[in-house]
């Protein structure tokens, strides 16, 4: 809470310093007098409703900032005026009603026990608009127009898209803030006014493939499913009719600079200022895990839900493998990781913060963070109470005298063990040969005494024909009967298998789900250009409400760090987790593609030699041709003829 | 755009020479195009074909540097080299040794990638027959005032180019696609460049007007690679495109370099193969067609205070155009007269290998016989014959 108040007053600080320039000296004394009054009020108002309050002054402040751009270039004076806290203008909300936008940026850094570093960027743009009726919006400020148009044209209620390279190793790294499967994942809830959902979905994927430079146009009916329970809307609105939901994954999708560039362009500051300057593709893709996502959903502005707004969350998670054992010193810095340091926050952002997870390091015995910060924050994240050091980039003091922030972590010891993730999943293909096989899915419940139910979603392409009668679910050697099974069989070349199950996981156990399948033989043109590489089967999705050790925060409108506020929390005793298993790579029987040429060559030879000679025999007439005699013989014959002797 | 340049021509620039200004203004309208497009295709998959991706990206880099925006470039890459797991430096593609020039850049937009690069998609992009929901970035939205650059690279043979190691496009299909583009008024002038083995065979069958074609090698020749890099482990580029890139790096939006310079980009001593070009379908003199007519879309704008009568200049330019293009601007659409099979483009005679002169061989044989007789003498002759 202290952090928030500090950030709030920091905003006011800057305003103050800017306005100082405009107003005359004589007014200054009166202003500061006012400021003290507002400051006194501040603690009371800010404690409970900091979230709501922060919105309006932030907007007001930005407008002021834009208007007085000239003064921005003189931060020295701003520093000197720092002692005066705030201006009266900020306390008074804007009287002109206009759609309010808000932008926040955040970077969380968590040293992982494997020695890697996990960095998670979150950028949130809020756009206050009545999304149910307001389809005719033409004014965009912070919200990217390209996505706004997509939402209104295709009547999208919620859109979640992620591009991931690499696989998140839950057992080594713990739970990510936002899970995503390898490759591309897209799931969309349409509004109930959409009549032709499949047609809209197809068009939407095409448009998104253009926006993100990705091959999302490969999403068609053969890899799209309608999960019945696993993917509930994350925003407001109680939609239960899953005919408006579409879910698809492309496990083979490549993620590279061309996907990152359009993603960065959606940010209000682009990659010019703020945390986004760190997003350099040479560094981001030189990592063990890279995931970027866009989540659009409608959210409430306040706890009564009087005003609604679109929330655009852009997240980027990356795990750097900077620790090479045996190299002695273990050190990490912003510059080493991103080849950049930070010099400013995005001027459009109402909040811009860096969090460093220091939960495992309360006394500083494991590692040392420099520059040190007095700001600490606690947040409930994935059923755990974590402590973070906070760096507020909207405050000039964060950057120090060198005007650049280069965070440095220096390890002293590498001991310590990780809290084992309570839920995690694995998957593999068993069997031999190219005819049949068996998919094994393992779900681990590491909770010592609580059992909890999980939803397992499996979407298998049609060319693996599941034998659903061989489906077995077993935990601790005993049969574990799922309480709910939703199975949709596949149709060849039309739709995939969809298998959803609700399974109760006993405490401290492994639950194994197996199902046998047969590999189909594809048509010649259905093979990919490199069929010997194999065919991918998307990750299974395990979604669950995992019992929490600490009480979770259920007040979703309270101001909290972005990374802990994505999945809405309904009860205090549990938290929502989604786990993705590995995608499968399955070999299908692959024909010898040069065979047609061989066949053609052989056939042509047979036709030419066999049929050709027979045809010749039947159609040609044969005559004995007398060879014409040589010149000497001919002369001799003429002489013999003259002599009356028979010719030679 | 045009109005803007009119204004700029009318407005102030004191030191301009009036004759020079009129000449320049006349040149401004002589090329006859108003927009530029580029279709850049790499058709090869797999890591060992790194050089083909680098080829395409280096052309991409050049056209982008010379002013064609990403929205006017359709870039097709059949495989992902930049983020390939074998790439020691991810998110980069280098065209020069020692990681000197990164042609991938930080804001590349790949429109078709991976399995999307197929013959069907390529022909659909050219002819504009795409599904209605295709996004604009994946379309070639050119018109009859567009100059289009088409660059292809990959593995090919006599009369075909392989796509992704699984299908191929033939030179007849390509020629027909260009004819369809011409009939649909999708281009003003088209520059076709291909860097593949036996590349000249790909433009032999062209029969549509306003086409200029360049290839890296003649029929019967291989195009060769250049610059093996030990760190990356593969060849970085093909020879022809390497020298093309070297040439294009020196071009700037106001360059006066013309197509004739482009023909001399890679002499046989450097390319090993013989680059070919075909200009008989192109109606202008290649010497008057600037490189930037195809590789860039930024027009040189100078401000002048002189009053220029533009109508004369435009008429002049138009008349010049009509004179040169009257016969072929809108050709009669009798298919029979355009059937490529009836009038194939005369192939260059195949180059013979070097042969020693006859006298030399005669002398050699005489020498052998002399030595023979010297050693064995005439009396042993009967044993031999």
């Amino acid at each position: 809470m202290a952090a928030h108040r500090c950030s709030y007053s920091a905003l006011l600080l800057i305003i103050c310093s800017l306005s100082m320039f405009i107003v005359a000296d004589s007014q200054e004394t009166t202003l500061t007098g006012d400021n003290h009054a507002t400051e006194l009020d501040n603690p009371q108002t800010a404690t409970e409703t900091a979230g709501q309050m922060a919105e309006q002054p932030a907007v007001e402040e930005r407008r002021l900032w834009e208007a007085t751009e000239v003064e921005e270039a003189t931060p020295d004076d701003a520093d000197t005026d720092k002692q005066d806290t705030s201006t009266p203008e900020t306390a008074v909300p804007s009287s002109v009603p206009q759609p309010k936008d808000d932008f926040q940026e955040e970077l969380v850094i968590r040293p992982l026990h494997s020695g890697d570093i996990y960095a998670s960027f979150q950028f949130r743009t809020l756009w206050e608009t009545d999304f149910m009726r307001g389809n005719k919006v033409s004014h965009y400020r912070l919200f990217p127009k390209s996505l706004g148009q997509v939402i209104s044209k295709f009547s999208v209620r919620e859109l979640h898209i992620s591009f991931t390279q690499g696989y998140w190793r839950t057992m080594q790294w713990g739970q990510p803030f936002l899970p995503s499967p390898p490759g591309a994942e897209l799931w969309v809830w349409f509004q109930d006014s959409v009549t032709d959902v499949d047609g809209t979905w197809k068009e939407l994927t095409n448009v998104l493939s253009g926006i993100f430079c990705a091959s999302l146009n490969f999403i068609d009916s053969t890899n799209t499913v309608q999960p019945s329970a696993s993917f509930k809307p994350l925003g407001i609105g109680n939609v239960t009719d899953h005919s408006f939901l579409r879910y698809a994954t492309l496990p083979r999708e490549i993620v590279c600079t061309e996907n990152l560039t359009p993603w960065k362009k959606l940010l209000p500051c682009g990659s010019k200022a703020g945390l986004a300057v760190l997003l350099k593709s040479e560094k981001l893709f030189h990592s063990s895990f890279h995931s970027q996502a866009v989540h659009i959903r409608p959210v409430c502005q306040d706890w009564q839900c009087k005003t609604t707004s679109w929330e655009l969350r852009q997240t980027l998670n990356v795990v750097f493998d900077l620790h090479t054992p045996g190299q002695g010193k273990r050190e990490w810095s912003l510059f080493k990781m991103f080849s950049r340091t930070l010099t400013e926050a995005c001027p459009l952002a109402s909040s811009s913060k860096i969090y460093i997870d220091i939960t495992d390091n309360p006394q500083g015995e494991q590692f040392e963070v420099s520059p040190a910060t007095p700001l600490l924050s606690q947040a409930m994240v994935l059923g755990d109470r974590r402590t973070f050091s906070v760096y507020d980039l909207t405050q000039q003091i964060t950057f120090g005298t060198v005007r650049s922030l280069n965070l440095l972590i220096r390890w002293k010891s590498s001991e310590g063990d990780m809290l084992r993730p309570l839920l995690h999943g694995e998957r593999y293909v068993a069997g031999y040969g190219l005819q049949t096989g068996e998919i094994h899915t393992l779900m681990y419940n590491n909770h010592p005494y609580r059992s909890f139910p999980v939803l397992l979603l499996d979407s298998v392409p049609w060319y693996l024909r599941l034998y659903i009668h061989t489906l077995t679910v077993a935990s601790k050697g005993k049969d574990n009967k799922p309480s709910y099974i939703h199975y949709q069989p596949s149709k060849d070349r039309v739709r995939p298998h969809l298998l959803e199950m609700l399974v109760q996981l006993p405490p401290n156990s492994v639950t194994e789900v197996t199902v046998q399948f047969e590999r189909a033989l594809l048509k010649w043109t259905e093979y990919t250009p490199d069929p010997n590489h194999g065919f991918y089967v998307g990750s299974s999705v395990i979604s669950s409400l995992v019992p929490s050790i600490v009480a979770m925060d259920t007040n979703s409108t309270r101001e909290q760090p972005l990374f802990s506020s994505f999945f809405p929390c309904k009860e205090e005793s549990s938290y929502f987790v989604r786990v993705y298993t590995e995608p499968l790579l399955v070999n299908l029987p692959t024909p010898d593609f040069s065979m047609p040429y061989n066949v053609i060559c052989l056939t042509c030879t047979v036709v030419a030699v066999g049929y050709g000679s027979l045809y010749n025999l039947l159609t040609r007439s044969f005559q004995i041709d007398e060879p014409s005699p040589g010149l000497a013989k001919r002369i001799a014959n003429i002489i013999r003829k003259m002599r009356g002797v028979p010719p030679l | 755009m045009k109005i803007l340049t009119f204004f700029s021509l009318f407005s102030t620039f004191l030191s301009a020479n009036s004759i020079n200004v009129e000449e320049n203004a006349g040149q401004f309208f002589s090329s006859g195009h108003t927009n530029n497009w580029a279709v850049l295709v790499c058709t090869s998959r797999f890591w060992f074909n790194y050089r083909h991706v680098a080829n395409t990206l280096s052309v991409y880099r050049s056209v982008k540097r010379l002013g064609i925006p990403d929205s006017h470039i359709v870039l097709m890459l059949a495989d992902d080299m930049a983020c390939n797991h074998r790439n020691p430096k991810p998110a980069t593609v280098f065209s020069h040794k020692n990681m000197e020039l990164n042609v991938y850049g930080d804001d590349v937009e790949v429109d078709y990638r991976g399995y999307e690069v197929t013959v069907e998609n390529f022909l659909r992009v050219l002819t504009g027959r795409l599904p209605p929901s295709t996004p604009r970035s994946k379309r070639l939205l050119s018109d009859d005032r567009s100059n289009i650059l088409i660059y292809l690279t990959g593995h090919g043979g006599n009369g075909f180019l392989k796509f992704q190691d699984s299908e191929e496009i033939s030179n007849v299909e390509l020629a027909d696609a260009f004819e369809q583009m011409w009939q649909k008024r999708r281009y003003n002038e088209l520059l076709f460049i291909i860097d593949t083995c036996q590349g000249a065979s790909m433009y032999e069958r062209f029969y549509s007007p306003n086409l200029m074609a360049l290839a890296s090698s003649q029929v019967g020749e291989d195009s060769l690679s250049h610059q093996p890099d030990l760190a990356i482990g593969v060849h970085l580029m093909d020879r022809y495109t390497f020298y093309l890139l070297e040439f294009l790096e020196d071009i700037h939006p106001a360059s006066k370099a013309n197509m004739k310079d482009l023909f001399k980009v890679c002499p046989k001593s450097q390319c090993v193969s013989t680059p070919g070009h075909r200009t008989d379908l192109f109606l202008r003199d290649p010497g008057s067609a600037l490189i930037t007519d195809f590789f860039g879309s930024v027009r040189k704008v100078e401000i002048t205070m002189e009053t220029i009568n533009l109508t004369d200049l435009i008429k002049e330019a138009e008349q010049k155009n009509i004179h040169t293009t009257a016969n072929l601007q809108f050709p009669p659409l009798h298919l029979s007269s355009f059937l490529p099979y009836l009038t194939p483009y005369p192939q260059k005679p195949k180059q013979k290998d070097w042969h020693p002169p006859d006298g030399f061989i005669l002398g050699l044989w005489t020498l052998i016989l002399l030595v023979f007789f010297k050693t064995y003498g005439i009396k042993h002759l009967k044993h031999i014959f």
Side-chain angles (χ1 to χ4, degrees):
Chain A
M1 216 54 247
H4 301 136
R5 217 179 310 149
C6 280
S7 72
Y8 179 44
S9 53
L11 295 181
L12 305 184
L13 264 178
I14 293 164
I15 294 306
C16 161
S17 51
L18 292 175
S19 59
M20 281 305 161
F21 258 79
I22 313 162
V23 296
D25 277 6
S26 57
Q27 285 176 323
E28 205 173 324
T29 49
T30 58
L31 278 172
T32 43
D34 277 344
N35 289 344
H36 290 305
T38 48
E39 205 187 12
L40 284 176
D41 293 341
N42 247 352
Q44 286 95 33
T45 51
T47 40
E48 281 316 305
T49 54
Q52 298 159 45
M53 287 294 291
E55 308 280 299
Q56 293 152 349
V59 172
E60 185 68 19
E61 180 229 4
R62 273 197 308 275
R63 221 176 296 127
L64 187 72
W65 193 314
E66 282 157 12
T68 57
E69 238 176 332
V70 192
E71 275 79 17
E72 201 200 336
T74 57
D76 295 35
D77 302 77
D79 280 347
T80 55
D81 290 341
K82 206 139 233 166
Q83 302 314 312
D84 314 299
T85 42
S86 61
T87 65
E89 289 145 52
T90 50
V92 185
S94 161
S95 56
V96 188
Q98 64 168 69
K100 286 188 283 290
D101 292 10
D102 178 55
F103 175 64
Q104 294 181 28
E105 52 180 9
E106 193 179 281
L107 163 64
V108 192
I109 294 163
R110 183 198 277 179
L112 299 172
H113 287 275
S114 57
D116 304 310
I117 287 274
Y118 173 35
S120 170
F121 291 85
Q122 294 224 9
F123 303 91
R124 183 175 76 162
T125 312
L126 279 177
W127 180 29
E128 188 185 314
T129 173
D130 195 359
F131 54 87
M132 293 308 280
R133 284 177 284 126
N135 280 351
K136 296 275 178 287
V137 184
S138 57
H139 180 67
Y140 294 89
R141 209 171 141 261
L142 295 179
F143 201 86
K145 189 176 178 184
S146 55
L147 286 181
Q149 285 178 331
V150 166
I151 296 173
S152 60
K153 175 153 196 286
F154 298 105
S155 305
V156 173
R157 171 178 280 275
E158 265 189 35
L159 188 150
H160 302 268
I161 185 168
S162 74
F163 298 97
T164 308
Q165 195 180 44
Y167 177 66
W168 181 270
R169 294 167 200 289
T170 315
M171 284 315 275
Q172 290 172 31
W173 297 341
Q175 294 285 358
F177 295 122
L178 269 174
S180 56
E185 183 198 41
L186 174 66
W187 58 285
V188 175
W189 276 94
F190 291 97
Q191 289 183 11
D192 39 18
S193 55
V194 180
T195 48
D196 176 19
V197 181
D198 286 315
T200 319
W201 165 251
K202 183 71 206 151
E203 276 184 43
L204 177 68
T205 54
N206 273 326
V207 168
L208 289 176
S209 83
I211 291 178
F212 292 106
C213 278
S215 313
L216 294 174
N217 47 331
F218 282 129
I219 294 178
D220 54 9
S221 68
T222 59
N223 47 24
T224 303
V225 288
Q226 300 173 32
S228 63
S230 292
F231 288 89
K232 287 288 167 211
L234 294 176
I236 49 172
N238 279 325
V239 196
T240 47
D241 186 0
H242 64 268
S243 64
F244 294 105
L245 168 67
R246 292 293 181 276
Y247 172 83
T249 52
L250 295 173
R252 184 85 205 259
E253 186 67 15
I254 313 152
V255 187
C256 208
T257 312
E258 65 257 30
N259 306 108
L260 184 68
T261 310
W263 185 91
K264 281 197 286 195
K265 283 179 183 165
L266 298 175
L267 295 169
C269 288
S271 50
K272 301 277 185 290
L275 292 173
V277 295
L278 300 177
L279 305 174
K280 289 278 160 226
S281 57
E282 290 95 33
K283 288 289 178 184
L284 287 183
F285 291 102
H286 207 157
S287 57
S288 312
F289 175 84
H290 171 96
S291 168
Q292 60 188 68
V294 167
H295 303 274
I296 302 173
R297 59 177 179 176
V299 291
C300 289
Q301 286 278 40
D302 43 30
W303 63 276
Q304 286 171 314
C305 220
K306 274 181 191 156
T307 50
T308 56
S309 56
W310 281 111
E311 184 198 66
L312 165 69
R313 248 177 218 260
Q314 289 179 251
T315 64
L316 191 143
N317 295 304
V318 60
V319 175
F320 289 101
D321 180 14
L322 293 176
H323 176 51
T324 35
Q327 285 249 315
K329 228 169 41 172
R330 200 169 142 202
E331 219 178 73
W332 166 90
S333 70
L334 272 189
F335 188 79
K336 205 171 164 188
M337 193 155 66
F338 300 107
S339 69
R340 277 297 174 99
T341 56
L342 285 168
T343 51
E344 56 170 344
C346 170
L348 298 170
S350 62
S351 125
S352 174
K353 285 177 185 156
I354 299 182
Y355 294 84
I356 296 188
D357 194 336
I358 53 159
T359 317
D360 310 319
N361 186 35
Q363 311 302 325
E365 69 273 8
Q366 275 214 10
F367 54 82
E368 176 191 357
V369 184
S370 71
T373 176
L375 294 177
L376 286 179
S377 158
Q378 278 210 337
M380 288 330 144
V381 106
L382 300 161
D384 198 3
R385 184 179 279 115
R386 314 287 298 183
T387 317
F388 298 90
S389 307
V390 186
Y391 295 83
D392 192 340
L393 300 184
T394 49
Q395 276 181 317
Q396 275 298 322
I397 200 152
T398 315
F399 300 107
T401 48
V402 287
R403 304 207 179 286
S404 99
L405 176 65
N406 183 20
L407 286 173
L408 191 87
I409 298 182
R410 204 175 278 118
W411 267 265
K412 293 172 181 165
S413 69
S414 55
E415 284 108 53
D417 39 32
M418 185 183 60
L419 185 72
R420 271 208 302 177
L422 293 181
L423 174 67
H424 111 105
E426 278 174 12
R427 193 156 69 137
Y428 59 90
V429 174
Y432 54 88
L434 284 176
Q435 197 187 356
T436 56
E438 197 168 36
I439 299 177
H440 289 246
T441 311
L442 304 178
M443 293 181 284
Y444 293 84
N445 176 2
N446 292 331
H447 202 288
Y449 51 87
R450 288 281 298 274
S451 74
F452 54 86
V454 295
L455 265 168
L456 174 73
L457 171 96
D458 246 325
S459 163
V460 181
W462 64 266
Y463 42 78
L464 300 187
R465 298 198 172 107
L466 292 186
Y467 293 158
I468 203 69
H469 66 275
T470 62
L471 177 73
T472 57
V473 185
S475 33
K476 290 183 168 172
K478 276 183 285 179
D479 208 29
N480 184 351
K481 201 172 180 310
S483 48
Y484 165 79
I485 292 188
H486 172 72
Y487 175 66
Q488 190 188 38
S490 73
K491 274 187 197 161
D492 278 7
R493 297 175 182 86
V494 176
R495 70 170 190 219
H497 300 270
L498 170 67
L499 179 62
E500 269 187 297
M501 285 186 292
L502 186 67
V503 187
Q504 186 82 18
L505 301 187
N508 207 3
S509 70
V510 187
T511 305
E512 186 170 20
V513 179
T514 59
V515 62
Q516 289 178 10
F517 66 87
E518 185 193 60
R519 297 161 216 246
L521 203 59
L522 300 185
K523 288 180 182 166
W524 182 28
T525 49
E526 283 168 348
Y527 285 96
T528 53
D530 51 350
N532 293 308
H533 181 84
F535 291 75
Y536 283 86
V537 180
S539 309
S540 331
V541 191
I542 303 167
S543 334
S544 170
L545 279 174
V546 174
S548 165
I549 299 162
V550 291
M552 296 302 289
D553 193 359
T554 50
N555 184 0
S556 57
T557 52
R558 215 169 63 92
E559 183 76 358
Q560 48 189 333
L562 295 180
F563 59 86
S564 62
S565 63
F566 184 66
F567 290 115
C569 216
K570 297 269 160 52
E571 19 181 328
E572 285 190 351
S573 60
S574 58
Y575 62 100
F576 182 79
V577 164
R578 189 167 281 153
V579 174
Y580 291 93
T581 65
E582 302 94 332
L584 299 176
L585 182 59
V586 182
N587 273 317
L588 290 189
T590 314
D592 175 10
F593 287 100
S594 61
M595 186 195 66
Y597 296 102
N598 297 344
V599 169
I600 288 168
C601 290
L602 200 70
T603 318
C604 289
T605 316
V606 168
V607 166
V609 175
Y611 174 75
S613 50
L614 193 70
Y615 183 80
N616 272 343
L617 276 175
L618 292 174
T619 52
R620 287 213 179 147
S621 62
F622 293 92
Q623 284 177 342
I624 298 164
D625 196 15
E626 288 279 320
S628 67
L631 184 70
K633 205 174 180 184
R634 248 186 282 170
I635 294 168
N637 276 344
I638 291 167
I639 296 167
R640 286 173 83 103
K641 208 185 226 174
M642 281 163 59
R643 280 170 59 200
V645 193
L648 285 171
Chain B
M1 167 79 197
K2 237 181 185 174
I3 296 163
L4 202 121
T5 46
F6 278 126
F7 268 117
S8 57
L9 284 168
F10 278 127
S11 45
T12 54
F13 190 68
L14 282 164
S15 61
N17 188 341
S18 74
I19 305 161
N20 204 2
V21 166
E22 288 208 353
E23 221 171 70
N24 281 338
Q27 272 181 5
F28 195 86
F29 301 102
S30 66
S31 68
H33 74 285
T34 57
N35 56 73
N36 281 81
W37 288 80
V39 182
L40 314 173
V41 189
C42 158
T43 64
S44 304
R45 202 173 181 82
F46 306 122
W47 173 248
F48 54 84
N49 290 320
Y50 184 95
R51 60 182 191 278
H52 292 150
V53 173
N55 284 348
T56 316
L57 284 168
S58 61
V59 178
Y60 171 78
R61 172 195 154 84
S62 300
V63 296
K64 213 168 149 182
R65 187 176 58 80
L66 291 170
I68 303 186
D70 263 323
S71 56
H72 281 210
I73 303 174
V74 181
L75 180 60
M76 298 175 138
L77 297 181
D79 205 351
D80 172 53
M81 295 303 162
C83 291
N84 197 304
H85 296 294
R86 294 191 194 182
N87 195 343
K89 249 181 99 60
T92 53
V93 173
F94 290 101
S95 67
H96 284 58
K97 263 187 194 172
N98 304 325
M99 306 191 173
E100 271 166 20
L101 182 62
N102 176 15
V103 287
Y104 197 61
D106 211 20
D107 56 344
V108 58
E109 275 185 24
V110 187
D111 300 305
Y112 287 82
R113 56 179 198 170
Y115 296 149
E116 285 177 280
V117 182
T118 57
V119 174
E120 184 189 340
N121 277 348
F122 175 60
L123 292 179
R124 280 184 186 279
V125 166
L126 289 186
T127 54
R129 296 165 177 243
L130 285 158
S133 59
T134 310
R136 287 178 75 88
S137 64
K138 294 190 169 191
R139 284 171 184 272
L140 181 70
L141 297 164
S142 56
D143 55 21
D144 61 342
R145 296 282 103 191
S146 306
N147 275 11
I148 304 181
L149 165 72
I150 291 177
Y151 177 86
L152 294 174
T153 181
H155 290 284
N158 193 348
F160 67 90
L161 174 71
K162 282 206 296 184
F163 268 66
Q164 302 242 13
D165 217 12
S166 68
E167 51 182 351
E168 53 276 318
I169 187 171
S170 74
N171 50 2
V172 178
E173 284 168 324
L174 198 61
D176 288 344
F178 288 151
E179 175 60 18
Q180 206 177 108
M181 286 174 79
W182 173 250
Q183 292 190 10
K184 288 169 130 180
R185 308 267 183 271
R186 282 173 69 79
Y187 69 83
N188 172 47
E189 283 171 342
L190 197 145
L191 177 65
F192 176 81
I193 301 180
I194 187 161
D195 188 345
T196 174
C197 297
Q198 317 204 31
S201 65
M202 287 305 283
Y203 61 64
E204 272 170 4
R205 302 282 189 174
F206 289 177
Y207 56 100
S208 314
N210 282 350
L211 280 175
M212 194 188 309
L214 286 96
S216 61
S217 55
Q218 294 296 332
V219 177
E221 280 182 342
D222 286 343
S223 284
L224 296 160
S225 57
H226 197 241
Q227 288 205 323
D229 187 282
L230 287 177
I232 295 172
V234 284
H235 285 264
L236 294 186
M237 259 190 135
D238 280 325
R239 280 173 182 271
Y240 182 73
T241 313
F242 178 80
Y243 291 107
L244 180 71
L245 176 66
E246 299 264 283
F247 171 73
L248 289 174
E249 285 292 294
D250 294 333
I251 302 285
H252 51 91
S255 300
K256 290 281 174 223
N258 59 40
M259 286 298 156
K260 283 201 169 144
D261 301 323
L262 190 65
F263 298 154
K264 291 179 284 193
V265 136
C266 190
K268 202 182 173 194
S269 55
Q270 288 176 318
C271 253
V272 182
S273 59
T274 325
H277 56 87
R278 185 177 171 192
T279 53
D280 59 326
L281 295 168
F282 199 68
L283 303 173
R284 283 197 286 158
D285 173 30
S288 72
L290 299 179
I291 298 289
T292 47
D293 283 355
F294 291 99
F295 284 91
S297 68
V298 180
R299 309 296 295 273
K300 192 188 172 198
V301 174
E302 273 180 31
I303 299 166
T304 175
M305 265 191 75
E306 303 286 327
T307 314
I308 307 162
N309 194 355
L310 274 177
T311 47
D312 287 352
L313 289 168
I314 293 169
K315 259 184 207 158
E316 217 172 85
E318 271 177 358
Q319 260 170 7
K320 221 192 277 173
N321 244 358
I322 287 165
H323 275 305
T324 49
T325 64
N327 312 329
L328 277 158
Q329 188 83 47
F330 298 106
L333 301 176
H334 297 303
L335 250 175
S336 58
S337 65
F338 278 97
L339 270 182
Y341 321 107
L342 302 177
T343 54
Y345 177 68
Q347 278 192 15
K348 272 199 177 172
K350 198 183 166 184
Q351 285 192 327
K352 278 182 187 166
D353 295 331
W354 181 81
H355 199 265
D358 291 346
F360 175 75
I361 294 179
L362 211 67
L364 201 70
W365 274 111
T366 322
L367 197 74
I368 292 168
L369 287 175
L370 273 176
V371 169
F372 181 83
F373 288 133
K374 191 91 179 148
T375 25
Y376 296 104
I378 197 91
K379 58 183 174 185
H380 294 288
L381 208 61
K382 61 177 186 276
H383 298 298
I384 299 161
F385 297 107

